[in-house]
């Protein structure tokens, strides 16, 4: 018998239950991982609330973790028992002491990346990799607008964009978060609850606007993001922290400057053959070189997942959050 969080119905953080579960032997293509650390991500709240439907009930939440492979099933060649591994694109099931996982989601960890950092950097870090290098291949000298700049994805993106040589304009919820973002390579901060984002972006860019906006906040920031773009600019809408963007009128892209909008996911990028290892390698490179520091600012026991969800949704967290198993 081992422990895991189980969810039987959609709802608030109280639906996260800490229970005994049985974990069997790995089937063909699977590995069994004894986890040491698990990452908290905003997407975990979308599945819990029902914004994104989980594949079935009951289910165990979570898409990111690190630990040691205990056993592998038939046909698995990329990892073996005893390997230290991490993952950030797995099917749900990370909030568990021990889990089964399709082995092709696993990446072997370099010795100098510890389990806690690994368990929080895979999903957020590979997201930043595809946002900055693939969705809009960012170049030195360009200026970007990035929402929620002091969050998990946000702090990684500030540092990575800075490393590329871009100028970062970041939005944040309060002064403390502004200071934190600035300490991680964000050149200009906007308190988006108090200031008009598009007006401030125009001021900072001498009226021009930015070529790309990375927007994970969704409903509350969508209009301001469009209004911050220069002609032919790209809005990358990649999350819904304030709620989903609905009733989108395609026609408004014309008068605002022949704009582009995309709604990418890590899972589409990860599905390209060979891409997972490539993205993980690029992430490890910037972390190992010191260009990107993974700031694990909150730690919870896995059984306290409900409190972690409450704090994340109340905007109390900064940087990345880990569950210790
Ligand atoms: N599409 C993808 O592939 C992909 C992959 C990973 C993550 N994401 C998305 O990226 C975003 C960031 O994820 P994360 O795990 O790093 O979370 P996070 O940024 O650490 O936390 C969310 C932040 O959003 C801001 N926010 C603005 N309005 C909010 C509201 N009404 N309620 C709650 N928060 C609000 C808060 O920062 P302030 O207080 O500064 O406003 C909050 O701290 C999420 O939307 C997530 O879904 C997308």
């Amino acid at each position: 018998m081992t422990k895991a969080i189980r969810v039987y119905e959609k709802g608030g953080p109280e639906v996260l239950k800490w229970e005994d579960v049985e974990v069997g032997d790995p089937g063909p293509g699977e590995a069994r991982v004894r986890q040491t650390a698990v990452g908290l991500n905003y997407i975990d709240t979308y599945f819990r609330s029902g914004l994104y439907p989980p594949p079935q009930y009951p289910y165990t939440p979570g898409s990111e973790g690190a630990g040691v492979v205990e056993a592998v099933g038939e046909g698995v060649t990329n990892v073996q028992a005893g390997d230290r591994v991490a993952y950030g694109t797995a099917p749900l099931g990370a909030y568990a002491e021990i889990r089964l996982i399709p082995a092709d989601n696993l990446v072997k960890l370099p010795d100098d990346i510890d389990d806690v950092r690994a368990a929080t950097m895979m999903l957020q870090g590979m997201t930043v990799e595809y946002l900055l290098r693939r969705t809009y291949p960012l170049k030195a000298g360009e200026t970007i607008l990035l929402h929620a700049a002091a969050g998990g994805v946000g702090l990684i993106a500030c540092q990575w964009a800075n490393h590329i040589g871009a100028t970062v304009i970041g939005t944040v919820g309060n002064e403390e978060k502004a200071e934190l973002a600035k300490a991680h390579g964000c050149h200009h901060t906007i308190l988006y609850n108090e200031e008009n984002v598009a007006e401030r972006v125009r001021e900072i860019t001498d009226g021009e606007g930015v070529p790309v906006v990375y927007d994970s906040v969704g409903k509350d920031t969508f209009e301001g993001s469009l209004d911050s773009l220069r002609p032919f600019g790209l809005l990358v809408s990649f999350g819904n922290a304030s709620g989903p963007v609905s009733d989108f009128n395609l026609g408004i892209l014309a008068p605002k400057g022949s704009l582009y909008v995309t709604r990418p996911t890590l899972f589409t990028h990860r599905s390209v053959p060979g891409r997972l290892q490539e993205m993980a390698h690029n992430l490890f490179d910037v972390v190992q070189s010191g260009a990107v520091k993974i700031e694990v600012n909150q730690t919870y026991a896995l059984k306290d997942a409900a409190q972690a969800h409450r704090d994340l949704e109340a905007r109390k967290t900064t940087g990345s959050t880990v569950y210790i198993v």
Side-chain angles (χ1 to χ4, degrees):
M1 223 30 126
T2 167
K3 291 275 192 186
I5 297 282
R6 302 265 281 168
V7 177
Y8 291 83
E9 58 184 334
K10 68 180 181 183
E14 70 284 353
V15 301
L16 301 166
K17 310 285 185 203
W18 182 238
E19 295 188 341
D20 289 331
V21 292
E22 298 267 6
V23 181
D25 291 329
E30 285 185 330
R32 192 174 65 225
V33 179
R34 177 173 291 276
Q35 307 202 104
T36 50
V38 169
L40 169 65
N41 288 285
Y42 218 91
I43 194 171
D44 304 348
T45 71
Y46 303 149
F47 282 113
R48 192 210 69 223
S49 70
L51 176 64
Y52 294 176
Q56 81 284 320
Y57 288 103
Y59 74 96
T60 291
S63 305
E64 186 181 38
V68 177
V69 175
E70 279 193 337
V72 297
E74 199 188 312
V76 172
T77 55
N78 62 323
V79 291
Q80 60 185 16
D83 283 346
R84 277 182 70 236
V85 292
Y87 60 90
T89 60
L92 298 182
Y95 286 26
E97 291 175 335
I98 300 175
R99 72 166 296 179
L100 296 175
I101 184 169
D104 63 2
N105 290 282
L106 296 173
V107 177
K108 283 196 217 174
L109 281 175
D111 289 344
D112 58 351
I113 295 186
D114 60 78
D115 290 16
V116 167
R117 278 192 302 157
T120 60
M121 68 188 243
M122 299 301 289
L123 196 155
Q124 294 169 350
M126 290 194 291
T127 297
V128 173
E129 197 267 7
Y130 88 71
L131 290 174
L132 302 187
R133 297 188 50 151
R134 302 173 196 276
T135 305
Y136 181 91
L138 189 59
K139 292 186 288 299
E142 291 185 309
T143 301
I144 66 169
L145 174 62
L146 167 74
H147 289 300
V153 169
L155 286 188
I156 297 172
C158 285
Q159 295 174 85
W160 204 326
N162 200 54
H163 176 60
I164 289 171
T167 298
V168 182
I169 306 172
T171 68
V172 288
N174 61 40
E175 283 288 356
E176 256 174 35
K177 291 185 179 185
E179 289 311 311
L180 187 67
K182 279 185 187 147
H184 289 82
C186 184
H187 301 84
H188 306 272
T189 51
I190 301 175
L191 296 174
Y192 53 176
N193 299 324
E194 296 167 25
E195 301 176 272
N196 181 301
V197 173
E199 281 175 14
R200 288 276 291 116
V201 169
R202 296 280 161 194
E203 268 169 39
I204 295 164
T205 59
D206 295 328
E208 196 186 341
V210 289
V212 61
V213 178
Y214 296 104
D215 186 340
S216 64
V217 173
K219 182 165 69 67
D220 290 355
T221 45
F222 187 69
E223 282 285 331
S225 293
L226 290 177
D227 290 335
S228 300
L229 287 165
R230 72 183 187 198
F232 308 110
L234 171 66
L235 170 53
V236 183
S237 175
F238 69 102
N240 331 276
S242 68
V245 176
S246 50
D247 300 329
F248 169 51
N249 171 10
L250 192 64
I252 63 172
L253 298 181
K256 288 182 189 292
S258 303
L259 301 179
Y260 295 84
V261 177
T262 184
R263 179 60 176 90
T265 75
L266 175 59
F267 301 95
T268 320
H269 281 271
R270 174 259 177 274
S271 301
V272 176
R275 183 65 64 77
L276 173 67
Q277 300 295 333
E278 190 185 324
M279 294 196 317
H281 179 78
N282 289 336
L283 172 62
F284 292 158
D285 264 2
V286 289
V287 170
Q288 288 173 311
S289 75
V292 171
K293 293 192 175 50
I294 305 300
E295 302 293 3
V296 184
N297 290 350
Q298 295 76 218
T299 302
Y300 300 84
L302 185 53
K303 68 177 172 46
D304 298 330
Q307 188 57 46
H309 277 222
R310 276 185 207 104
D311 292 347
L312 181 64
E313 292 178 292
R315 304 163 81 154
K316 288 184 180 165
T317 66
T318 58
S320 302
T321 300
V322 74
Y323 299 111
I324 299 298
V325 181

